[in-house]
């Protein structure tokens, strides 16, 4: 089957970790030998800025996948409202050129319901292609709180040929927005068990970044409020002074997080070396005693499986998907709420009686991509049979 994968959530040379979960799922689907894909991953642009985001070429090849990056107009502060129309206009031009050049597609594989899925449904109607949309988190848990996005999301849900949710909780959110339950297939993300495995480099990482020999908590994600890094910093004040925190990520909250650590008197225990390439993360998981996921919203947090695959147990917020990923003591703990107090209680409990790293790794081995790939193929076959 010939797919056009469509999403603004896809890595590029300037943002190698951006939407890497979309790329990973697609790579495993293509590796099955039963599908091929060309990726249309538009990038935001505004006339008063540079012609294209720095470092993002119009076309690149990643892991054998051809990825096109047409621009779409994204006025500052208005993207939530202008996004669907701007994305559709950009994608329509790009797809018309591809078809004129002889490319042919059987279906559109869209990721993130708003604005990507909304634009994808319009694209499918314009070119007579069925559309499968994967919902991934805040596109269902947060954006429907706004009136105009909600109307467009509900319409996209009605008009898509099939829907995929990365967790049962996310499926429930789609159903609450009007999706027939039978239209939604739950296909959780997997983890690359070859790329994420114990490395034996934990001690070297601790020495390289002066992390000390005491218990180490790890928090991974973009430095924005929704990721909850500030809760983990506050939790340090309720934990023994030998416990340190390593935050991997970059973003607009960096200065505020550093200021918070200084204000609370824990600056010497908080290490923020910035974002790291995805391929380097196993070294840091190996160095940590536990990963803390304090996100307010997640459809399915890939960092949970990545950490567990490296033998590092997790402390997870009760965001969608967490209880589906963390289902046994070997995996770690899911907190009843995401507060500094809850994080501190969970950290004390997990660090006092940690599961064996081999047991945590063995638990993660139940989350390969094979089942997800088979599920995707079944969804697309079903859609194409009805086209």
């Amino acid at each position: 089957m010939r797919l056009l994968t469509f999403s603004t959530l896809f890595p590029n040379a300037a943002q190698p970790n951006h939407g890497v979960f979309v790329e990973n799922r697609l790579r495993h689907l293509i590796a099955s030998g039963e599908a091929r894909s060309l990726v249309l991953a538009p990038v935001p642009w505004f006339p008063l800025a540079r012609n294209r985001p720095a470092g993002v070429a119009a076309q690149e090849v990643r892991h054998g996948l051809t990825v096109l990056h047409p621009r779409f107009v994204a006025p500052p502060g208005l993207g939530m409202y202008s996004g669907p129309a701007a994305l559709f206009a950009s994608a329509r031009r790009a797809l018309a050129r591809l078809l004129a050049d002889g490319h042919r597609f059987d279906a559109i594989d869209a990721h993130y319901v708003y604005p990507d899925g909304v634009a994808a449904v319009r694209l499918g109607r314009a070119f007579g292609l069925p559309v499968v949309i994967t919902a991934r988190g805040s596109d269902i848990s947060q954006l429907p709180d706004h009136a105009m996005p909600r109307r467009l999301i509900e319409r996209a849900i009605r008009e898509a040929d099939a829907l995929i949710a990365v967790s049962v909780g996310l499926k429930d959110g789609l159903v609450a927005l009007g999706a027939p339950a039978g239209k939604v297939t739950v296909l959780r993300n997997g983890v690359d068990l070859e790329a994420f495995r114990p490395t034996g480099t934990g001690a070297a990482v601790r020495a390289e970044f002066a992390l000390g020999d005491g218990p180490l908590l790890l928090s991974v994600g973009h430095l924005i409020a929704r990721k909850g890094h500030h809760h983990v910093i506050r939790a340090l004040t309720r934990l023994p002074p030998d416990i340190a925190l390593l935050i991997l990520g970059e973003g607009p909250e960096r200065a505020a997080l550093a200021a918070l650590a200084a204000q609370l008197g824990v600056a010497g225990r908080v290490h923020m070396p910035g974002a790291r390439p995805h391929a380097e993360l196993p070294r840091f998981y190996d160095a940590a005693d536990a990963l803390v996921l304090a996100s307010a919203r997640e459809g399915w947090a890939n960092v949970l499986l990545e950490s567990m695959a490296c033998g590092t147990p997790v402390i997870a917020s009760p965001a969608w998907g967490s209880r589906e990923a963390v289902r046994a003591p070997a995996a770690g703990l899911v907190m009843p709420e995401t507060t500094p107090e809850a994080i501190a209680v969970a950290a004390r409990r997990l660090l006092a009686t940690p599961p064996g790293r081999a047991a945590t790794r063995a638990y993660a081995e139940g989350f390969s991509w094979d089942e997800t790939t088979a599920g995707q193929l079944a969804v697309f076959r079903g859609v194409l049979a009805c086209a």
Side-chain angles (χ1 to χ4, degrees):
M1 61 187 74
R2 302 164 297 184
L3 303 177
L4 177 70
T5 297
F6 178 69
S7 183
T8 57
L9 285 174
F10 206 87
N12 56 60
Q15 300 169 296
N17 295 335
H18 179 63
V20 70
F21 41 86
V22 177
E23 181 184 61
N24 286 342
R25 195 180 88 173
L26 180 60
R27 288 174 58 194
H28 285 84
L29 177 64
I30 302 307
S32 72
E34 297 187 43
R36 52 192 172 94
S37 179
L38 186 147
V39 181
L40 197 58
V43 292
W45 166 83
F46 191 63
L48 298 181
R50 298 182 178 183
N51 286 341
R52 184 175 299 280
V56 182
Q59 178 175 329
E60 61 181 323
V61 176
R62 296 180 54 87
H63 305 288
L65 293 167
T66 298
V67 185
L68 305 182
H69 295 296
R71 299 176 303 175
F72 69 97
V73 177
L78 298 176
M80 179 184 293
Y81 305 101
S82 65
L87 268 177
F88 170 64
S90 172
R92 180 175 57 183
R93 291 191 297 269
L95 181 51
R97 287 193 296 268
L98 287 169
L99 294 174
D101 289 341
H103 292 274
R104 294 294 179 265
F105 302 98
D106 299 312
I108 297 176
D109 167 33
H111 294 257
Y112 211 65
V113 179
Y114 188 91
D116 309 53
V118 173
V121 166
R122 291 186 62 187
L123 198 64
R125 288 204 310 269
F127 291 92
L129 293 171
V131 178
V132 176
I133 305 176
T134 296
R136 292 195 164 275
S138 59
D139 50 346
I140 298 303
S141 67
Q142 181 180 11
L143 290 172
D145 293 342
H146 304 273
M148 191 196 85
R150 184 186 183 95
R151 288 195 298 272
L152 295 177
I153 288 169
E154 289 173 341
R155 182 174 178 178
I157 287 172
R158 287 195 305 271
E159 297 185 1
D161 294 270
L163 300 165
I164 294 173
V166 297
S167 69
V168 172
L170 199 51
K171 176 178 179 175
D172 292 342
L174 285 166
V175 171
L177 288 167
K183 189 176 184 176
V184 186
T185 300
V186 177
L187 296 176
R188 49 108 180 126
N189 286 341
V191 62
D192 188 330
L193 295 169
E194 289 302 314
F196 290 90
R197 59 189 309 120
T199 64
T201 61
V205 170
R206 283 175 175 256
E208 179 181 351
F209 292 92
L211 300 174
D213 298 323
L216 178 65
L217 302 178
L218 174 64
S219 187
V220 179
H222 199 44
L223 303 188
I224 54 177
R226 180 168 59 86
K227 292 297 182 179
H229 301 294
H230 57 291
H231 292 315
V232 193
I233 291 174
R234 289 186 180 278
L236 287 181
T237 65
R238 297 164 170 82
L239 291 168
D242 63 332
I243 295 179
L245 170 64
L246 175 65
I247 301 176
L248 295 183
E250 199 52 80
E253 292 290 311
R254 167 177 276 278
L257 293 172
L260 176 64
Q263 174 192 338
L264 297 176
V266 296
R269 299 163 61 188
V270 177
H271 307 266
M272 294 193 294
R276 315 302 295 186
H278 199 236
E280 287 188 19
L281 292 182
R283 300 175 58 237
F284 294 93
Y285 291 129
D286 206 78
D289 293 282
L291 171 81
V292 181
L293 175 75
S295 296
R297 299 179 181 89
E298 293 283 353
W300 181 282
N302 294 321
V303 292
L304 296 178
L305 294 183
E306 292 171 356
S307 179
M308 292 186 288
C310 294
T312 304
V314 303
I315 297 167
S317 71
W320 281 347
S322 291
R323 295 191 186 279
E324 296 167 53
V326 185
R327 297 177 298 184
L333 302 170
V334 177
M335 298 177 286
E337 59 181 352
T338 308
T339 63
E341 293 82 0
I343 293 170
V345 169
R348 286 178 180 274
R349 178 180 165 190
L350 187 62
L351 295 175
T353 56
R357 296 185 78 97
T360 302
R361 164 69 185 188
Y363 174 86
E365 289 172 352
F367 291 87
S368 75
W369 280 104
D370 295 345
E371 181 181 339
T372 302
T373 295
Q376 286 182 86
L377 291 170
V379 169
F380 282 111
R381 288 193 197 104
V383 165
L384 295 178
C386 297

